[in-house]
Amino acid sequence: MANVVTSKKACTVNPLKMSQPIGAVLAFLGLDQCMPALHGSQGCTAFGLVLFVRHFRENIPLQTTAMNEATTILGGMDNIEQAILNIWNRAKPRIICIASTGLTETKGDDVDGYIKLIRQKHPELADLAIVYVSTPDYKDAFQDGWSRAVTQLVQELVEPGSVIPRQVNVLAGSHLTPGDIEEVRDTVEAFGLDPIILPDLSGSLDGHIPEEFMPTTMGGTTLADIRRMGASQFTIAIGEHMRPAAQALEDKADVMFKVLDRITGLEASDRFIALLAELSGNPVPNKYRRQRGQLMDAMLDGHFFFGGKKIAIGAEPDLLWSIGNLLAEMGCEIGVAVTTTHSPLLEKMPAAEVLIGDLEDMEQRARGCDLLITHSHGRQMAERLEIPFLRMGLPLFDRLGAGHRLSVGYRGTRDLIFEIGNLFMANAHEASPATWMPPQQECHDCAPATTH
Amino acid sequence: MTTLAKKVQEVFDEPACGKNQGKSEKERKKGCTKQLTPGAAAGGCAFDGAKIALQPITDVAHLVHGPIACEGNSWDNRGAKSSGSRLYRTGFTTDVNELDVVYGGEKRLYKSIREVIEKYDPPAVFVYQTCVTALIGDDVEAVCKAAGAKFGKPVIPINAPGFVGNKNLGNKLAGEALLDYVIGTLEPEYTTPYDINIIGEYNLSGELWQVKPLFDKLGIRILSCISGDAKYQEVAWSHRARATMMVCSKAMINITRKLEERYGIPYFEGSFYGISDMSESLRQTSKLLVQRGAPAELLERTEALIKEEEAKAWQQLEPYKARLAGKKVLLITGGVKSWSVVSALQEVGMEIVGTSVKKSTVEDKERIKELMGQDAHMLDDMTPREMYKMLKEARAEIMLSGGRSQFVALKAKMPWLDINQERHHAYAGYDGMVALVREIDRALYNPIWEQVRKPAPWET
Ligand code: SF4
């Protein structure tokens, strides 16, 4: 049980948090033939685009309604209309998804109303899906934007239908990489089930090389699939922040759901596998029985290096929950837990305190820890503190393969244990004569004169 | 008219801008930032431009006043290097919340400035205005003034909220802030007849350090660089230089011109990219210094150095000439650097099959025409699809561009080289030119191309 506190500073230093609108954008990037756009000024889009390009090392389709001072004050109806028409004419997407920004929310644009008017004015857009989500920058954080975007997609696009046997929905949280999602798909399919994954970054941002140039996303959940989600037998939501979307699906199409708070760790993976066995009525395939054994073996081999280690983690709530719990289950102490936004998970964290704060807060508390875990922006802190550093989360701009990192299921957990265990091993301190010297004595020889 | 609107107007009115000289007064007032097309726009905002221009000042705390989007999504993502303080890489933002938006964010800003000064004690704090806080009417100038008086430190407002325009405008508004609040406020310990300013050089990947040894060899002192690897005090005493070199086309022309107007410092426009451009820049620098009273022997020493350095560079380039001659390059940059890179590549015999001139000025376009001949393929607004086609059909063999468009080339299984902000290599000066050519050669001749272009065996 953790005490959840919010940083009291006026000034955020070295942000851990990123904004809601780009969280929504990333969710939209998991849809097939989609063009996401931010309703705001050009800079917000440019920053989001650069961020994702550097993380995924992939082309990122993302547009802007290009608001300026005057259009903001007058209202953005014209800009949204033009943006939709221009995107439609130039990129021919199946779906345009718009997220608001702080600027247009401050003004209070009625975008839903605008879209209704635009639909009336332009019957030629009848086949184009348009989804709008409200995501002011000055509220909440990245994963909230993702969560709202997915909920909105469900509310607007899913159609109720009679149950298609074996079809299941998977609502994937923002803490899952394309590699994680691929693992989830393989696992679900191994039980003879047909998953529809929303959003599906493994289809769009997995690094495939298309034969033709596409101005929109290439791959991801198709519009038809989203509509069919109402006919699924069941919904599995991965990550607490997917609960609202799962609830919306149930409300709209009567599809029952279960939220898996995480699928990293032995017991967490067991729950996932057991659920699939139950849903499918099939026995657990041999492959997973073998992988389960390998994970247990990794835990046995690795626990020597994990026991008693103190860890500092800075991550969005659902990633913090997944990784923090795994490490606690391996015998580590979560010495520092910093996160970006509220979540019902926070007070259940296996840590004394969870702080909603920034990387400066993390750095101040992390002295004496054995490992730092956060996104690439932790690099300066790691250098200053000289503590081993594992990059997790988003953005990872100074490492290759961010999209293919795997940390879910038996296999993903196994490899993560190896990776972290190797960091501990590589940084283990060799014994020297000084190791057991009483600290007092050592001080007499080396401390500067001022202390006496 | 608000002070910001006036500033924007003033910047648009820039008399030293070649484009402006051909315009009527009314046209000039309209400004040079094209209206963006919603749904078909690209590029950063004015705040982004201001940050690019000023963040390289290393010992200053750069505090962004706005919601998390502006700083949280973008901090520590630029390649400017520092020889001293790392403070410029620390992300400071007021991260305003809903209550601030309703009741105003000035209090939070004031408190933030205090926290930054108490914790980090920088020589100055730069406060960047952004869209939301501008819209709700936070008076950044007044807060900075009050905080500066209270804490006894320069607290400088950088009033370039994103929605006033593009990056280029932001560069210029940043320049205005330096002129209004920083330049001329400190005096250097001593001056010499060999003191220069370099303006518009950001020390990306350490490029300033690539050319500094050349100036050092001539005994020329870089009194201030605005803003690569600069300390606050160096910018503050830049008015004592004898001459200014303005790098990178027109990005900071306003500073350069006003240094001339106010303090009589003459300037020239030069580039560090390419052998002949580098030599020309050294030559011009020495010429201006001698005009301002430096001993004339500087000119001879300069020529001697140029001769030596050029010979060395050509010798190093020699082995590449045969390998690169006739290779077809597609050059997509912001436009401002086009002509200097064009001439650099032509020096080793590469053929430029197209270059983007989207953001280039009339002068830039003229220079490109001079270099590439009348039938220069200047592409005003090439779509990614067209670039992709050009590469896929091998009408271009390598693309040089910024990071965002890299996948156009890579997904066509064609070589690409980063020549914008986030690049990892330094390409300035004689050494830089050799490095650029070496990187092009490495990209073109990497053995992966043959492998990835071959279809899978079961597909043949
Ligand atoms: S456009 Fe405005 S809100 Fe967006 S990043 Fe630029 S300054 Fe910030």
Side-chain angles (χ1 to χ4, degrees):
Chain A
M1 278 309 225
N3 186 19
V4 180
V5 288
T6 306
S7 186
K8 288 278 173 298
K9 303 183 296 190
C11 182
T12 293
V13 183
N14 293 336
L16 171 67
K17 179 170 76 170
M18 296 184 303
S19 73
Q20 268 208 96
I22 64 165
V25 162
L26 186 57
F28 295 145
L29 287 169
L31 309 184
D32 187 39
Q33 295 179 56
C34 171
M35 178 66 86
L38 289 178
H39 181 37
S41 233
Q42 58 175 338
C44 302
T45 287
F47 283 146
L49 201 142
V50 168
L51 186 102
F52 292 135
V53 163
R54 295 181 75 202
H55 178 84
F56 290 106
R57 294 171 199 266
E58 286 296 319
N59 187 40
I60 302 295
L62 177 57
Q63 262 305 330
T64 170
T65 57
M67 300 291 284
N68 59 30
E69 195 172 7
T71 53
T72 302
I73 292 164
L74 294 171
M77 164 75 192
D78 283 354
N79 284 57
I80 291 190
E81 180 180 4
Q82 278 187 51
I84 290 174
L85 292 176
N86 280 325
I87 292 171
W88 171 248
N89 288 327
R90 293 169 72 124
K92 291 273 173 298
R94 301 292 308 274
I95 177 166
I96 294 177
C97 296
I98 303 172
S100 66
T101 62
L103 181 67
T104 49
E105 289 284 351
T106 304
K107 165 63 179 44
D109 270 357
D110 171 23
V111 179
D112 285 317
Y114 296 165
I115 292 175
K116 268 198 202 102
L117 287 175
I118 293 165
R119 283 238 179 257
Q120 283 165 16
K121 243 175 107 178
H122 298 283
E124 73 271 23
L125 301 178
D127 288 341
L128 173 71
I130 304 174
V131 172
Y132 164 74
V133 62
S134 160
T135 47
D137 296 295
Y138 46 75
K139 269 171 75 178
D140 304 335
F142 191 87
Q143 87 164 39
D144 302 305
W146 171 288
S147 167
R148 291 207 169 98
V150 179
T151 307
Q152 197 71 26
L153 288 168
V154 166
Q155 278 169 349
E156 291 197 23
L157 300 174
V158 169
E159 292 164 0
S162 45
V163 175
I164 303 171
R166 315 205 77 75
Q167 178 177 301
V168 294
N169 302 326
V170 176
L171 296 172
S174 63
H175 56 310
L176 302 179
T177 65
D180 288 335
I181 293 173
E182 198 170 308
E183 182 77 5
V184 167
R185 179 199 315 284
D186 285 352
T187 311
V188 175
E189 283 175 354
F191 282 86
L193 298 167
D194 302 324
I196 297 177
I197 302 178
L198 178 73
D200 183 9
L201 293 177
S202 77
S204 52
L205 291 173
D206 66 331
H208 62 281
I209 300 175
E211 273 314 305
E212 264 304 310
F213 183 81
M214 288 271 281
T216 61
T217 52
M218 322 171 280
T221 326
T222 64
L223 204 51
D225 277 347
I226 303 177
R227 294 196 170 119
R228 281 195 301 131
M229 288 174 91
S232 288
Q233 172 192 336
F234 196 77
T235 298
I236 304 170
I238 303 173
E240 180 61 36
H241 67 298
M242 288 292 97
R243 185 182 296 277
Q247 185 65 55
L249 229 162
E250 185 181 278
D251 294 348
K252 188 151 189 201
D254 263 338
V255 185
M256 296 220 297
F257 69 92
K258 187 175 173 75
V259 176
L260 296 175
D261 57 344
R262 61 191 168 105
I263 51 172
T264 298
L266 178 64
E267 284 177 325
S269 300
D270 282 348
R271 286 192 288 271
F272 177 43
I273 296 290
L275 175 64
L276 293 176
E278 189 195 317
L279 287 175
S280 65
N282 286 339
V284 175
N286 262 334
K287 183 174 158 188
Y288 296 100
R289 294 170 197 259
R290 240 180 4 252
Q291 283 185 12
R292 187 173 191 278
Q294 291 166 4
L295 170 56
M296 286 192 294
D297 195 49
M299 292 166 75
L300 293 167
D301 291 346
H303 80 281
F304 303 107
F305 305 97
F306 285 73
K309 289 284 193 310
K310 219 171 133 185
I311 317 288
I313 312 181
E316 291 228 282
D318 277 87
L319 183 61
L320 177 69
W321 179 254
S322 285
I323 303 307
N325 274 294
L326 170 69
L327 287 165
E329 287 161 358
M330 288 298 293
C332 298
E333 176 197 341
I334 307 303
V336 183
V338 181
T339 193
T340 56
T341 179
H342 285 281
S343 159
L345 296 173
L346 300 184
E347 58 186 27
K348 292 187 272 174
M349 269 296 289
E353 180 190 273
V354 175
L355 178 73
I356 298 178
D358 56 34
L359 293 180
E360 184 194 52
D361 298 320
M362 181 171 168
E363 185 165 347
Q364 281 166 354
R365 288 162 175 75
R367 220 164 271 285
C369 282
D370 300 289
L371 178 69
L372 305 173
I373 301 178
T374 187
H375 53 51
S376 281
H377 283 302
R379 61 186 176 169
Q380 291 188 53
M381 157 172 57
E383 233 174 78
R384 282 189 288 261
L385 296 178
E386 295 180 344
I387 294 174
F389 173 33
L390 176 70
R391 287 161 175 80
M392 281 197 98
L394 194 152
L396 301 186
F397 47 75
D398 56 351
R399 286 294 182 273
L400 292 170
H404 297 289
R405 287 195 62 104
L406 184 64
S407 57
V408 301
Y410 298 127
R411 210 159 60 101
T413 308
R414 177 197 70 194
D415 289 352
L416 187 61
I417 287 173
F418 289 152
E419 187 178 4
I420 296 175
N422 286 339
L423 272 174
F424 289 142
M425 255 202 235
N427 290 281
H429 295 291
E430 294 258 326
S432 77
T435 309
W436 291 276
M437 211 143 3
Q440 224 71 33
Q441 219 179 325
E442 214 183 352
C443 234
H444 275 292
D445 294 329
C446 61
T450 48
T451 58
H452 293 274
Chain B
M1 217 190 291
T2 63
T3 40
L4 176 59
K6 254 191 238 143
K7 265 281 170 243
V8 171
Q9 202 56 250
E10 207 182 303
V11 166
F12 283 156
D13 243 349
E14 178 56 55
C17 169
K19 244 189 182 172
N20 262 343
Q21 284 156 9
K23 285 186 189 169
S24 72
E25 186 169 348
K26 205 166 143 218
E27 275 182 313
R28 256 202 326 254
K29 283 249 159 62
K30 269 216 258 137
C32 38
T33 42
K34 257 197 310 208
Q35 268 306 317
L36 288 170
T37 318
C45 60
F47 155 69
D48 191 7
K51 196 89 188 293
I52 289 171
L54 299 181
Q55 194 174 7
I57 305 176
T58 59
D59 54 358
V60 161
H62 300 271
L63 168 59
V64 178
H65 183 42
I68 195 67
C70 313
E71 181 71 351
N73 300 348
S74 74
W75 69 286
D76 196 23
N77 74 351
R78 302 176 179 97
K81 298 281 174 261
S82 167
S83 59
S85 176
R86 297 274 200 102
L87 190 60
Y88 74 119
R89 286 182 55 194
T90 303
F92 295 103
T93 175
T94 51
D95 181 12
V96 296
N97 60 31
E98 205 171 10
L99 282 181
D100 298 320
V101 171
V102 176
Y103 297 109
E106 292 178 1
K107 261 214 195 89
R108 179 183 288 276
L109 174 58
Y110 185 83
K111 277 196 214 150
S112 294
I113 295 169
R114 187 175 62 211
E115 285 177 11
V116 170
I117 290 176
E118 279 170 2
K119 274 190 281 193
Y120 294 88
D121 191 32
V125 181
F126 284 9
V127 175
Y128 297 79
Q129 177 66 301
T130 64
C131 296
V132 170
T133 43
L135 189 69
I136 61 173
D138 279 1
D139 188 343
V140 172
E141 265 127 13
V143 175
C144 286
K145 201 166 161 201
K150 174 82 181 174
F151 308 125
K153 250 190 217 289
V155 180
I156 314 291
I158 314 294
N159 203 354
F163 61 29
V164 297
N166 62 12
K167 275 203 280 202
N168 196 284
L169 178 63
N171 289 159
K172 294 201 166 80
L173 290 172
E176 289 297 313
L178 294 185
L179 286 161
D180 288 348
Y181 298 101
V182 183
I183 293 172
T185 58
L186 289 173
E187 293 296 330
E189 257 169 63
Y190 65 94
T191 58
T192 78
Y194 300 101
D195 291 352
I196 61 161
N197 291 326
I198 297 181
I199 292 182
E201 164 60 48
Y202 304 140
N203 199 29
L204 300 176
S205 315
E207 287 186 338
L208 178 65
W209 303 330
Q210 228 168 358
V211 294
K212 190 172 172 290
L214 298 167
F215 289 105
D216 287 346
K217 274 187 198 162
L218 295 172
I220 293 172
R221 178 167 78 145
I222 301 171
L223 183 70
S224 341
C225 179
I226 297 177
S227 53
D229 194 24
K231 293 189 181 65
Y232 178 75
Q233 57 179 23
E234 293 168 2
V235 178
W237 65 46
S238 57
H239 62 300
R240 292 301 179 215
R242 296 299 183 96
T244 298
M245 169 172 172
M246 179 174 74
V247 186
C248 193
S249 211
K250 304 275 181 282
M252 291 237 217
I253 191 166
N254 50 341
I255 301 192
T256 314
R257 189 181 52 78
K258 285 187 185 165
L259 280 173
E260 182 175 51
E261 203 174 276
R262 292 185 193 171
Y263 306 102
I265 308 171
Y267 70 90
F268 74 95
E269 193 185 328
S271 159
F272 294 136
Y273 297 121
I275 292 177
S276 48
D277 279 74
M278 183 65 226
S279 297
E280 198 46 35
S281 293
L282 290 174
R283 217 170 258 136
Q284 291 277 350
T285 306
S286 296
K287 206 172 95 193
L288 282 185
L289 286 174
V290 170
Q291 275 170 19
R292 306 261 354 251
E297 52 84 43
L298 176 62
L299 299 177
E300 284 150 49
R301 284 196 290 120
T302 306
E303 288 308 323
L305 179 72
I306 289 174
K307 207 169 148 202
E308 185 191 324
E309 293 289 338
E310 285 199 351
K312 216 167 69 192
W314 280 118
Q315 196 194 350
Q316 282 174 284
L317 288 176
E318 202 44 48
Y320 294 106
K321 273 192 180 162
R323 292 164 63 87
L324 299 182
K327 291 279 181 206
K328 291 176 283 205
V329 186
L330 181 58
L331 183 65
I332 309 290
T333 77
V336 284
K337 279 162 270 163
S338 283
W339 52 261
S340 43
V341 181
V342 166
S343 70
L345 299 180
Q346 286 181 336
E347 280 170 4
V348 286
M350 300 187 75
E351 186 191 337
I352 318 288
V353 289
T355 180
S356 72
V357 288
K358 208 164 150 189
K359 293 182 203 154
S360 303
T361 62
V362 182
E363 279 170 59
D364 286 335
K365 288 186 194 172
E366 279 308 312
R367 300 269 314 242
I368 294 169
K369 256 192 212 149
E370 252 170 60
L371 288 163
M372 294 173 50
Q374 279 306 318
D375 50 17
H377 293 280
M378 285 190 273
L379 314 158
D380 241 319
D381 197 359
M382 199 178 194
T383 66
R385 196 192 292 270
E386 287 159 351
M387 295 183 213
Y388 177 85
K389 234 181 134 213
M390 210 165 163
L391 288 153
K392 190 101 190 183
E393 292 165 7
R395 282 180 285 133
E397 290 162 284
I398 183 169
M399 181 164 94
L400 273 51
S401 73
R404 290 173 209 191
S405 48
Q406 61 183 295
F407 308 105
V408 168
L410 297 178
K411 296 284 181 189
K413 300 177 187 172
M414 293 299 274
W416 168 80
L417 199 67
D418 194 351
I419 54 164
N420 268 13
Q421 270 199 61
E422 302 108 28
R423 64 175 178 263
H424 294 290
H425 298 279
Y427 297 135
Y430 304 105
D431 290 343
M433 182 63 202
V434 176
L436 174 65
V437 170
R438 186 183 58 225
E439 290 306 319
I440 292 177
D441 186 87
R442 278 184 186 162
L444 273 167
Y445 285 99
N446 192 298
I448 66 152
W449 302 118
E450 224 174 292
Q451 301 165 61
V452 298
R453 284 175 198 147
K454 252 191 232 151
W458 54 88
E459 275 169 6
T460 47

